[in-house]
Amino acid sequence: PASTNTRRRPAVLICSSSLFFLAMSSRRAWERLLGMFDRNAISCLVPTPQKNRSSVCIHVTSAVNDGTCFRTIKINESSPESATDFFILNACRAAADYVVTTGEILREEHDLNTDIQGQHAEDLAAWRRELGKTEPQPTTVVMTNSSELDFEHPLFLQEGRKRMIYTSESTYATLQRRRIDPSIDFLVSNAPSLQGLIHELQNQHKDASPCTISVEAGPTTSST
């Protein structure tokens, strides 16, 4: 169980094509930004596509340092709260074209909202425009292999928001019949995985600017 006194740091996983490496962000730098927002400084902390890079994938997760390693915190009512972690989460959303979550997370977090939020929401929205993002909010992509996805979750009821479901061929037909909003798009795979989803989203941007994907899921999903 996580303690509010346990040291927490965001772990940022950066993915470019087949290259994976782990970068531990400087918490002190993020805390300074939280106190006084600086667009130049945040551009140094949040990875964005560079020249000749097809896309960037960021995996942000809250973790505790137990003295030997970092352990991911499962977010629920008993999780310790952190303004810094929430700021990092929204900074990555501001940089992203897509935010990836899962059906399991929707079942556990009944009020999940992937919009850019928090005390610096307007600053982050302005920075997002500077990055060349034409949509005010990232597209939400829900990974699921379950046909019991809750289409009455607030995430699916937001008007004017782009949402996608990434699922298996075996559950696609059932989910398509059950969806309430016909504007929800589907990506279908015979063997869904996070890497497969990343490549699919990359392919959709081949004729456009490089995309940034922010993964808001635990290590079980990020390892697929």
Side-chain angles (χ1 to χ4, degrees):
S3 165
T4 54
N5 295 322
T6 305
R7 187 181 179 190
R8 299 177 60 182
R9 295 182 65 184
V12 181
L13 177 67
I14 306 168
C15 160
S16 175
S17 299
S18 59
L19 175 65
F20 291 85
F21 60 94
L22 187 66
M24 301 308 299
S25 299
S26 168
R27 190 170 188 83
R28 185 170 298 177
W30 281 107
E31 289 171 346
R32 284 198 299 267
L33 270 178
L34 183 60
M36 183 176 294
F37 189 84
D38 183 323
R39 292 179 197 171
N40 292 326
I42 200 169
S43 295
C44 296
L45 291 172
V46 180
T48 54
Q50 305 296 321
K51 186 177 181 181
N52 299 325
R53 179 180 290 175
S54 58
S55 70
V56 168
C57 180
I58 312 166
H59 178 210
V60 182
T61 182
S62 290
V64 295
N65 184 352
D66 65 2
T68 59
C69 64
F70 287 94
R71 300 185 184 278
T72 301
I73 298 173
K74 188 172 184 178
I75 303 300
N76 54 37
E77 293 79 3
S78 62
S79 305
E81 296 184 0
S82 168
T84 304
D85 287 4
F86 188 64
F87 176 50
I88 295 171
L89 181 72
N90 283 283
C92 292
R93 289 175 177 176
D97 298 281
Y98 302 96
V99 169
V100 177
T101 186
T102 68
E104 181 180 357
I105 289 174
L106 296 191
R107 289 190 292 273
E108 295 175 351
E109 299 184 40
H110 304 293
D111 58 350
L112 179 69
N113 183 336
T114 59
D115 285 353
I116 301 166
Q117 305 167 60
Q119 69 183 75
H120 288 300
E122 292 185 5
D123 295 318
L124 290 171
W127 178 59
R128 177 179 178 82
R129 291 190 293 270
E130 290 180 2
L131 293 176
K133 310 297 182 186
T134 56
E135 296 290 338
Q137 302 290 346
T139 298
T140 304
V141 185
V142 180
M143 293 182 62
T144 185
N145 283 323
S146 171
S147 60
E148 301 301 318
L149 190 63
D150 181 11
F151 283 103
E152 294 189 354
H153 190 285
L155 191 73
F156 292 120
L157 302 178
Q158 293 176 283
E159 295 184 2
R161 292 283 278 103
K162 291 186 177 181
R163 292 141 304 173
M164 303 172 69
I165 296 172
Y166 178 62
T167 191
S168 62
E169 293 177 348
S170 60
T171 57
Y172 164 64
T174 301
L175 291 176
Q176 187 183 41
R177 287 195 304 269
R178 291 186 55 244
R179 68 176 173 179
I180 298 172
D181 186 347
S183 70
I184 298 173
D185 294 324
F186 284 89
L187 292 174
V188 183
S189 172
N190 60 358
S193 67
L194 180 59
Q195 290 193 49
L197 174 58
I198 290 170
H199 290 310
E200 184 66 35
L201 296 176
Q202 282 180 311
N203 289 335
Q204 293 198 3
H205 276 254
K206 276 186 175 179
D207 299 324
S209 59
C211 67
T212 299
I213 304 162
S214 182
V215 179
E216 298 182 10
T220 301
T221 298
S222 63
S223 65
T224 64

